Amino acid sequence: NSIWVSTDHDEIEKIAKQFGAQVHRRSPEVSQDSSTSLEAIREFLNHHHEVDIVGNIQATSPCLHPSDLIKVADMIQKEGFDSVFSVVRRHQFRWSEVKKGENKMTEPQNLNPAKRYRRQDWPGELYENGSFYFAKRHLIEKGYLQGGKMAYYEMRAEHSVDIDIDIDWPIAEQRVLRFGYFGKEPLKEVKLLVCSVDGCLTNGRIYVTEDQKEMISYDYRDIVGIDLLKKRGIQVRLISERDCSKTLSAMQMGCIAKASATNKLQVLEDWQKDMGLSWKEVAYLGNEESDVECLTKAGMSGVPADACAAAQKAAGYICKSSGGCGAVREFVEHIFLLLEKVNSARKQ
């Protein structure tokens, strides 16, 4: 019914309101380093008697998807649970800790070493992952976030990231880049991929022969990736700032191409309008500052691993491969992952 951000920070309050949230200003008493989430929630409830159920979403779990929260809210409101919390399945063998100086052996906690099985054949165990805790008011007022008629909600592993220490931050970033975060907007199929030639399809190097002819190289894996897109009915178009018409013609890729494109965004907008596509249906792979506007506009954007810093900052996905070394194929695989999500959402 309402979305709140609890904070004692002016800048966080400003940003929260910009994105449509309401703000509860925490008191100094519950804003200490040692303050708990429960203390902040109980203070919030003291000011908002109209709230019967609280869904506490942890800011340190950025990969949480709205669809999970909708399902959990239904568990509380329609299935009668008093509290629901998030868990993730892990396949890790546990052993008892032996403290330094103790003269004893470690013991297995959840396995029999004499009948050790493969972890992929084991159903695993459920662990709290801290993404969210939903509870009814009467529990929270008693000092509980979990209690009464309890249930867990198992999250997918790729959505389960808890930022606890510094090393968790880049892991969270890569999860978001790999699996995407689509928020409340409906998913759309990609129908057009526009790829910058120099530095994406090629490695950006130009070889000049003695008779002043240009030569470039490209990775056959990228050509296979483009062919796979075409077989799925997705158009692929190429764009370059250079006058490389002869080179593109010699590559015989069967793609519409625009060379000498001094304004890449204008070319992209013309193609998008001519095809009657929304920006959500356009994917763009670029690598230079001249690609930044296109990367920002496109619904799905990517750059090779060796793209310039400005392009990397604007892109939604950073390939592990460099330009001319499989980056196009890798981005194609990323597009296929999106299509799987679209099909899954439609089935649901």
Side-chain angles (χ1 to χ4, degrees):
N1 299 104
S2 58
I3 300 173
W4 294 82
V5 170
S6 173
T7 185
D8 66 336
H9 195 279
D10 292 340
E11 185 66 16
I12 292 176
E13 176 180 9
K14 177 182 175 182
I15 294 171
K17 288 180 176 178
Q18 285 177 352
F19 281 87
Q22 300 179 71
V23 173
H24 169 74
R25 291 292 301 209
R26 292 190 192 186
S27 68
E29 290 74 24
V30 299
S31 300
Q32 307 301 314
D33 288 344
S34 58
S35 297
T36 66
S37 297
L38 181 59
E39 290 172 338
I41 294 170
R42 293 181 73 177
E43 181 190 72
F44 171 84
L45 287 178
N46 288 336
H47 290 84
H48 297 279
H49 299 286
E50 77 281 3
V51 176
D52 296 319
I53 300 169
V54 172
N56 177 35
I57 303 169
Q58 303 282 66
T60 48
S61 300
C63 298
L64 177 62
H65 278 225
S67 60
D68 290 331
L69 299 178
I70 292 169
K71 292 174 184 176
V72 172
D74 284 343
M75 291 174 70
I76 292 258
Q77 295 172 308
K78 298 178 181 179
E79 299 179 37
F81 289 102
D82 295 312
S83 60
V84 183
F85 55 94
S86 58
V87 299
V88 65
R89 189 172 299 274
R90 292 180 179 169
H91 298 79
Q92 296 173 324
F93 296 137
R94 290 183 288 107
W95 292 79
S96 62
E97 182 179 357
V98 177
K99 295 183 179 179
K100 190 174 182 179
E102 291 185 347
N103 186 24
K104 63 179 183 179
M105 296 186 299
T106 184
E107 297 288 340
Q109 299 291 302
N110 61 350
L111 78 153
N112 180 356
K115 297 181 179 179
R116 186 182 178 96
Y117 35 70
R118 300 188 311 165
R119 286 193 294 179
Q120 58 265 44
D121 296 330
W122 175 48
E125 298 178 326
L126 296 177
Y127 288 77
E128 276 190 43
N129 65 355
S131 285
F132 59 77
Y133 297 86
F134 276 62
K136 291 184 177 178
R137 170 186 278 271
H138 69 86
L139 276 177
I140 298 171
E141 289 178 338
K142 293 177 182 177
Y144 299 101
L145 279 176
Q146 296 159 299
K149 184 181 178 182
M150 286 187 291
Y152 61 78
Y153 180 87
E154 185 176 349
M155 290 175 56
R156 291 166 58 181
E158 61 264 30
H159 296 167
S160 180
V161 175
D162 184 25
I163 299 179
D164 226 5
I165 55 178
D166 288 349
I167 192 62
D168 295 330
W169 190 274
I171 294 173
E173 285 185 333
Q174 288 304 311
R175 286 284 180 91
V176 173
L177 291 175
R178 177 71 178 87
F179 296 100
Y181 180 82
F182 302 101
K184 62 185 179 181
E185 295 185 36
L187 299 178
K188 290 274 185 91
E189 280 195 36
V190 170
K191 296 183 178 177
L192 170 66
L193 167 64
V194 176
C195 176
S196 182
V197 176
D198 304 302
C200 291
L201 185 59
T202 75
N203 60 11
R205 293 179 179 176
I206 301 172
Y207 304 90
V208 181
T209 63
E210 291 182 353
D211 54 356
Q212 296 185 337
K213 290 183 179 180
E214 289 187 1
M215 296 176 61
I216 61 170
S217 64
Y218 58 87
D219 194 314
Y220 181 71
R221 292 173 296 176
D222 292 336
I223 306 304
V224 172
I226 290 173
D227 287 340
L228 289 173
L229 283 180
K230 291 179 179 179
K231 290 177 181 177
R232 293 283 291 266
I234 300 172
Q235 283 204 39
V236 179
R237 298 188 178 186
L238 306 175
I239 192 168
S240 175
E241 294 176 276
R242 295 190 308 115
D243 182 9
C244 57
S245 302
K246 292 182 179 180
T247 302
L248 292 172
S249 177
M251 292 170 71
Q252 296 182 342
M253 296 179 59
C255 299
I256 294 176
K258 175 65 176 177
S260 303
T262 55
N263 188 334
K264 291 182 178 179
L265 179 61
Q266 185 61 60
V267 174
L268 185 61
E269 288 179 337
D270 290 343
W271 283 344
Q272 176 238 342
K273 291 175 183 177
D274 288 344
M275 296 178 66
L277 303 178
S278 68
W279 284 115
K280 282 286 182 183
E281 297 170 304
V282 177
Y284 191 91
L285 185 66
N287 71 305
E288 276 296 343
E289 289 192 20
S290 58
D291 296 306
V292 168
E293 289 181 307
C294 297
L295 291 167
T296 304
K297 279 277 190 180
M300 195 172 192
S301 59
V303 294
D306 55 351
C308 74
Q312 289 194 17
K313 186 176 180 180
Y317 180 77
I318 301 175
C319 298
K320 295 178 181 178
S321 305
S322 298
C325 300
V328 177
R329 177 60 186 270
E330 184 180 338
F331 191 54
V332 168
E333 295 292 341
H334 188 56
I335 291 174
F336 287 155
L337 181 67
L338 171 67
L339 294 179
E340 289 177 12
K341 289 186 177 184
V342 173
N343 293 332
S344 176
R346 285 175 177 172
K347 290 177 182 178
Q348 291 177 0

